[in-house]
Amino acid sequence: MTKVRPAAAASASLWEREAEVATIAEAVETLCADRSSSGHLLVLRGEAGFGKTALLAETRRIAEARGCTVWSARGGETLRSVPFNVVRQLLQPALLSLHPEEVREYLGDWFDIAGPALGVAEPGEGHADPQGVCDGLVVAVTRLARRDYPLVMLVDDAHWADQETLRWLAAFVERLEELSVLVVVARRPGEVKGDAAHHLDAVDAVDEAAGRAVTSLSALTPAAVAGLTRATLGAHADAAFCREVWAVTDGNPYETVELLAKVRDSELRPSESSAAELRPLNRAARGNGLVDRLEKLGVEATKFAMAAAILGADISVAQAARLAGLGREEAVRCAELLRNARILTEPGPGTVPLEDGDLEFVHPLIASAVYDSIPSGMRTAMHGIAAQVVTDAGKGLAAASRHLLQVHEEGDEELVEQLREAAREHLAVGAPDGARRCLERALREPPDLDVHAYVLYELGCATLLTAPAKTIDHLRTALAMPGLDGAERVDAVYRLSQALLHNDQLEEAVRTIEAESARQAPGPARLRLQAVQFMWEGVHAGEAASPRRSEKLAALAETCTGRDNAERALLILRGFDAATHGENAEEVVEFCDRALVNGGLAPGLGWTDQEWGMELLMMLAGTYAYTDRLDRADALFNEALRAYVSAGWSGGHLALAHAYLGVGLRRRGRLKEAEESLRESLRLAERVGRGLPVYWSATCNLVDTLLVRGHVAEAWETAQQYGFVPPYPSTIVLPEPRTVRGRLLLAVGRVKDGVNELEAAEKAATARGHLNPVMVPWAVELARALAVEDPDRANRLALEARRQAERFGTDTAIGEALRCAAALETGQRAVRLAQQAVTYLESSPCQYEHAAARVEFGILSRSASELGRGLTLARSCGADGLVDKAQLALQGLGAPQVGLVPGQTRR
């Protein structure tokens, strides 16, 4: 390959980067060649000064020469605490080229969700879901990228990007297969830790998964430095001088270019006799040497440069002048001096100036050196002034908060209130980490005693979704302090119990609620806490946390008319409790219906309302689903889905909505749709984290759905992949996971293990008094499994299951108990029982069970017509295993395969 020989210092940083430039050029060419091609990601990793920025500049040049649109953005060392800073920079060219109505049109349903994070829409009330905002940004960039094809996106200094941008970037690059875009990310190795490092590693993984190793830039070789020296200073530069340039700079491209510029400016001869002068010149170009050089430009220029370093981004002459205490003319002169000294420069190509006279540092190393040179006390004071400058410019307290975080701690109540307001602004756009930083800083001020507990309470609310363990500490401390009273105290106790629940400390959650309830006087607050206690005990999979819980709940619910949400909550809890215990389904439904207002959810009790949480409504919808009121269950499940999508809640809430929608579809017998919804639930749950209740709900129901579809191998693979094995969660999962795993083990031929698992389900259900044969169907499964080995026990189990089913009284429960009884009998008694099962199940909304009963009755009665009807139902459900069973039985009767032409098979 012919070596590139840059003729000027401006392009000298590309020296010995021929392979990287060729890779970039090939990627741009691929992008331009085919609009339908997959996207491309390139990651450039290298130490400071190794030429990452120069390679991005060369990418821009190549891309623009081929007619590409180029978006670019850069992280900043002092800007990492500014949420969405880098993604906003990236989108500025596209957003400013559109009319506001066009922006709304492009973002569509995501406008109100992602718009506030991008600064193009006003935030709504309450907290925005971070995952929803991230998803909205992915959609926004995707739609704009399609408009601007061929598009190249450049992200420089990604190691200094804000966490919200990195979260978006990691999600966006995963979708590049669907989108023809070239993304080039430049970053230093190391530098970051925690979630930011996790997101950057995810970006690297996408690059590596595509068969491309992350490009790690190395220092220049001695030969390359010699070539660069002669290209810059002239061919007469002798070998000893060139070797010393390499030794002094360690082959760092940026330092080499800067040193050679100093040599040229000082008119130093490039000979061996001058080589000793190189080290002093190099020290002048970096660190303290740079500061000394800066001070030689004068006090005013130094103050202006420091002000620019404090501002960090959007550096305007006017704002830097105000921060430095300079007049306009003096500031303009200082800016010119700093440009001539190669400390500041005009914004690079592709940036969108917010004001006239925008400036930026020539290199991040210079910005860091200037910032670090500011005495700490002076730096703190300047941040305080900068906060006022930013606020006066109308950018809001959230934008000013990065400066507020740095000011002196001196008990300033105004600062505490500013930080609290900034936290609220961060939460409204989906940046809880930004809110956390503001509130933690407010606590260090510290706040007055009468607001201290409230700041802790707000901090606990801000970290509830992202760090439940920290939330527990914050809220416990807040509750132990004076000042937090009334509705806020009750809410803090409720949120503390939520955090304990999410942290798998359910028993402690119950004790916390119980203790606070005891100290409240009779009234709405106490009733709410009592309802919450019953709710957490209701979702607890172990033994009841308090004796005679069901009796206490029944007695309390008996007094409720549904006049407020606390009473409605108790009615829902009573209905769910009665359902799990197998009480009469008509009475169960009556409790639930009394909790509704005009057939719907009461105001303040909706899916996105925070006072009660989603668990209560999932209990309500689940109760309807298992009492054969699937129309009401479906309405609630779909309402949840719409509410979370509309609000942009893309995390655990949406995952659980998809899981329970899958439950409803499975109950209806719409098995293909159920599987799709449950797989989507698992995809979302993976992003939230394994081991949580939503993860178990999605996995358990997916395995159950695959089993009834007859996809046994896939069910086993799913169980292995997603860890569907003991130990089981501390919260209730429906259907009961031990029963589902027992069926799975039986299906794959591990009969003994399957029986053991079903017997464990029996023990757990008995301890809780869970006698509902539909919600916890261990008895019918165990009876079938023991039919040959222990027929007497099998018959006792089947008889008890039938008794409990008749007590519960739904068509599905009775029909399923009769199906089990028929499976244990022979001859005409088996036929009669199977026919009775069909009679009940054809009145049930559960179509799979109806289909199974038809097929089993057809086999026992040797009826081709019954088998045909069962086969049709099985096909409509997507129950492939049942279809095979019916087809095989029809063949045994000599009947044709219904619905297939001769010679055709189902698959």
Side-chain angles (χ1 to χ4, degrees):
M1 180 184 293
T2 303
K3 285 200 176 273
V4 178
R5 296 296 186 194
S11 59
S13 292
L14 291 175
W15 206 275
E16 214 168 44
R17 298 290 182 252
E18 300 88 352
E20 290 83 0
V21 171
T23 298
I24 289 166
E26 181 182 355
V28 171
E29 196 60 40
T30 301
L31 171 70
C32 297
D34 184 3
R35 188 181 187 119
S36 64
S37 64
S38 297
H40 205 79
L41 169 68
L42 295 176
V43 177
L44 308 174
R45 194 158 56 187
E47 301 291 347
F50 271 33
K52 301 181 295 297
T53 300
L55 280 168
L56 291 183
E58 182 66 5
T59 305
R60 173 181 288 279
R61 187 194 67 76
I62 294 170
E64 290 180 341
R66 286 289 281 116
C68 298
T69 301
V70 180
W71 298 352
S72 62
R74 169 184 279 180
E77 186 175 15
T78 61
L79 302 171
R80 284 178 282 188
S81 64
V82 182
F84 307 107
N85 170 51
V86 174
V87 72
R88 282 191 181 191
Q89 288 181 54
L90 202 62
L91 287 179
Q92 280 176 357
L95 293 174
L96 293 183
S97 69
L98 295 172
H99 187 275
E101 286 306 312
E102 289 182 291
V103 174
R104 180 179 285 277
E105 183 179 343
Y106 270 103
L107 298 187
D109 293 341
W110 294 98
F111 180 81
D112 292 328
I113 298 166
L118 294 172
V120 297
E122 289 298 317
E125 296 182 3
H127 300 180
D129 175 47
Q131 186 60 58
V133 173
C134 177
D135 290 345
L137 290 172
V138 170
V139 172
V141 177
T142 298
R143 290 174 180 173
L144 290 167
R146 290 190 175 117
R147 183 198 72 153
D148 285 354
Y149 172 85
L151 174 65
V152 176
M153 294 166 52
L154 310 176
V155 180
D156 200 1
D157 290 331
H159 51 280
W160 284 336
D162 57 279
Q163 185 162 298
E164 291 76 13
T165 291
L166 292 178
R167 184 177 191 171
W168 159 78
L169 183 62
F172 180 74
V173 296
E174 286 183 351
R175 297 186 56 175
L176 283 179
E177 287 189 3
E178 311 164 20
L179 193 65
S180 191
V181 175
L182 172 60
V183 179
V184 187
V185 177
R187 57 167 292 204
R188 294 182 194 173
E191 289 283 338
V192 293
K193 57 185 178 180
D195 288 340
H198 171 74
H199 296 319
L200 281 173
D201 289 344
V203 173
D204 289 352
V206 170
D207 198 31
E208 292 163 353
R212 297 180 294 272
V214 172
T215 300
S216 295
L217 305 179
S218 56
L220 299 178
T221 62
V225 171
L228 178 54
T229 301
R230 293 183 175 115
T232 305
L233 304 178
H236 60 287
D238 65 26
F241 185 90
C242 293
R243 281 197 302 274
E244 187 62 12
V245 171
W246 177 80
V248 166
T249 63
D250 289 327
N252 184 297
Y254 169 73
E255 292 190 15
T256 302
V257 169
E258 287 296 306
L259 176 58
L260 293 176
K262 297 290 182 297
V263 170
R264 188 174 53 200
D265 293 345
S266 64
E267 298 183 353
L268 189 70
R269 288 178 57 80
S271 62
E272 184 174 5
S273 61
S274 303
E277 303 294 325
L278 290 174
R279 289 191 183 276
L281 274 178
N282 189 55
R283 284 195 294 271
R286 58 192 292 187
N288 292 332
L290 173 65
V291 174
D292 292 340
R293 182 161 59 93
L294 177 60
E295 290 177 349
K296 290 177 182 177
L297 298 177
V299 174
E300 289 79 9
T302 301
K303 289 167 65 178
F304 188 94
M306 289 177 173
I310 291 288
L311 291 171
D314 302 335
I315 306 167
S316 73
V317 171
Q319 289 187 4
R322 182 179 171 190
L323 183 53
L326 301 173
R328 174 72 183 178
E329 290 185 6
E330 188 64 24
V332 170
R333 185 185 70 80
C334 290
E336 187 62 26
L337 280 173
L338 293 165
R339 278 193 290 262
N340 292 336
R342 290 175 51 79
I343 291 173
L344 292 176
T345 186
E346 301 294 336
T351 58
V352 180
L354 300 181
E355 302 181 42
D356 291 337
D358 273 0
L359 299 165
E360 66 181 19
F361 283 92
V362 167
H363 196 277
L365 288 173
I366 297 176
S368 297
V370 174
Y371 185 82
D372 292 341
S373 74
I374 306 173
S376 60
M378 181 180 178
R379 184 164 62 220
T380 301
M382 290 182 74
H383 273 297
I385 300 170
Q388 191 63 53
V389 169
V390 171
T391 304
D392 290 348
K395 297 180 180 178
L397 284 170
S401 64
R402 74 179 183 89
H403 299 297
L404 296 174
L405 294 172
Q406 303 297 326
V407 302
H408 288 290
E409 300 168 9
E410 52 187 21
D412 185 345
E413 279 307 299
E414 182 181 358
L415 176 61
V416 170
E417 290 308 309
Q418 288 177 323
L419 287 165
R420 291 175 73 186
E421 179 57 35
R424 285 189 281 270
E425 291 182 18
H426 284 315
L427 288 170
V429 299
D433 282 318
R436 174 186 55 78
R437 285 189 290 268
C438 290
L439 293 167
E440 287 175 344
R441 174 61 187 82
L443 288 171
R444 293 197 303 272
E445 191 57 12
D448 282 349
L449 191 60
D450 60 341
V451 297
H452 199 131
Y454 284 91
V455 177
L456 279 165
Y457 164 59
E458 290 164 9
L459 179 56
C461 294
T463 57
L464 180 60
L465 292 178
T466 56
K470 290 184 178 179
T471 293
I472 292 168
D473 292 337
H474 297 321
L475 293 178
R476 277 180 170 159
T477 305
L479 289 164
M481 297 180 72
L484 193 62
D485 296 310
E488 286 86 359
R489 181 177 181 85
V490 173
D491 192 63
V493 171
Y494 168 62
R495 290 179 185 274
L496 172 57
S497 73
Q498 274 189 309
L500 289 164
L501 177 72
H502 294 161
N503 207 46
D504 204 24
Q505 295 175 253
L506 186 53
E507 291 184 6
E508 181 63 21
V510 171
R511 284 195 295 270
T512 299
I513 292 290
E514 188 174 21
E516 185 63 28
S517 176
R519 57 187 302 277
Q520 292 281 338
R526 183 175 183 179
L527 199 61
R528 180 189 178 195
L529 291 170
Q530 287 176 314
V532 171
Q533 180 182 343
F534 283 123
M535 178 164 65
W536 294 155
E537 289 180 343
V539 301
H540 186 30
E543 294 187 12
S546 63
R548 299 180 56 249
R549 171 187 173 275
S550 293
E551 291 89 335
K552 293 176 183 177
L553 175 57
L556 194 57
E558 192 67 30
T559 66
C560 295
T561 60
R563 61 187 171 184
D564 60 27
N565 283 345
E567 289 197 358
R568 295 181 187 109
L570 285 165
L571 288 167
I572 292 170
L573 293 165
R574 174 70 177 104
F576 181 79
D577 187 69
T580 59
H581 288 85
E583 296 181 31
N584 181 267
E586 293 293 337
E587 296 176 9
V588 168
V589 170
E590 184 182 346
F591 287 124
C592 294
D593 287 349
R594 283 164 55 195
L596 303 179
V597 175
N598 297 323
L601 298 176
L605 206 60
W607 290 101
T608 57
D609 290 316
Q610 296 297 294
E611 185 178 359
W612 289 97
M614 69 184 302
E615 294 88 355
L616 183 70
L617 300 184
M618 287 300 179
M619 288 178 167
L620 174 64
T623 302
Y624 280 133
Y626 283 98
T627 51
D628 282 4
R629 269 54 171 191
L630 288 176
D631 51 344
R632 300 180 200 182
D634 288 349
L636 286 166
F637 293 144
N638 282 290
E639 184 181 345
L641 198 62
R642 287 192 299 271
Y644 294 140
V645 169
S646 177
W649 292 14
S650 303
H653 289 80
L654 188 62
L656 202 56
H658 273 290
Y660 272 80
L661 182 64
V663 170
L665 292 166
R666 155 69 181 93
R667 297 292 299 154
R668 279 204 179 279
R670 292 159 59 180
L671 303 180
K672 290 181 182 178
E673 295 169 70
E675 182 181 339
E676 290 172 5
S677 192
L678 291 164
R679 289 193 184 281
E680 177 62 9
S681 177
L682 261 183
R683 185 188 71 81
L684 294 167
E686 284 271 42
R687 303 192 305 189
V688 179
R690 292 196 172 193
L692 298 175
V694 60
Y695 203 90
W696 276 95
S697 292
T699 306
C700 180
N701 279 285
L702 180 56
V703 170
D704 174 61
T705 300
L706 291 170
L707 284 174
V708 296
R709 293 201 69 191
H711 299 177
V712 175
E714 196 172 354
W716 180 256
E717 182 182 337
T718 298
Q720 297 298 100
Q721 180 181 352
Y722 295 109
F724 184 55
V725 293
Y728 298 105
S730 61
T731 52
I732 285 179
V733 174
L734 295 176
E736 201 276 327
R738 292 176 183 82
T739 302
V740 175
R741 180 158 176 83
R743 287 174 50 222
L744 174 64
L745 291 166
L746 292 172
V748 297
R750 293 172 54 178
V751 176
K752 185 177 179 180
D753 291 338
V755 168
N756 289 340
E757 200 70 58
L758 291 169
E759 288 176 338
E762 175 187 12
K763 182 178 179 181
T766 302
R768 285 287 290 180
H770 285 183
L771 304 176
N772 188 315
V774 182
M775 283 181 161
V776 189
W778 62 268
V780 294
E781 302 296 344
L782 185 56
R784 291 173 187 265
L786 295 174
V788 175
E789 178 186 325
D790 191 347
D792 290 340
R793 186 184 175 196
N795 284 320
R796 288 196 302 272
L797 288 169
L799 186 63
E800 178 61 18
R802 184 170 176 182
R803 189 181 72 80
Q804 294 294 348
E806 288 171 349
R807 175 177 176 242
F808 189 52
T810 65
D811 291 326
T812 303
I814 298 172
E816 284 294 277
L818 288 166
R819 277 184 62 208
C820 176
L824 302 181
E825 294 288 349
T826 58
Q828 285 303 306
R829 180 165 173 77
V831 173
R832 284 195 300 273
L833 288 168
Q835 187 173 27
Q836 291 174 35
V838 168
T839 302
Y840 277 98
L841 287 168
E842 68 182 347
S843 300
S844 161
C846 301
Q847 289 301 296
Y848 167 77
E849 285 73 14
H850 180 200
R854 286 278 178 196
V855 170
E856 288 163 3
F857 176 50
I859 292 172
L860 288 168
S861 62
R862 299 184 58 80
S863 168
S865 63
E866 286 295 335
L867 282 169
R869 293 176 67 183
L871 177 58
T872 301
L873 279 170
R875 284 198 179 120
S876 69
C877 292
D880 298 330
L882 194 56
V883 168
D884 288 341
K885 185 177 181 179
Q887 290 279 17
L888 188 62
L890 282 168
Q891 290 176 16
L893 295 176
Q897 295 192 37
V898 179
L900 297 178
V901 298
Q904 181 187 24
T905 60
R906 180 174 58 82
R907 285 185 278 212

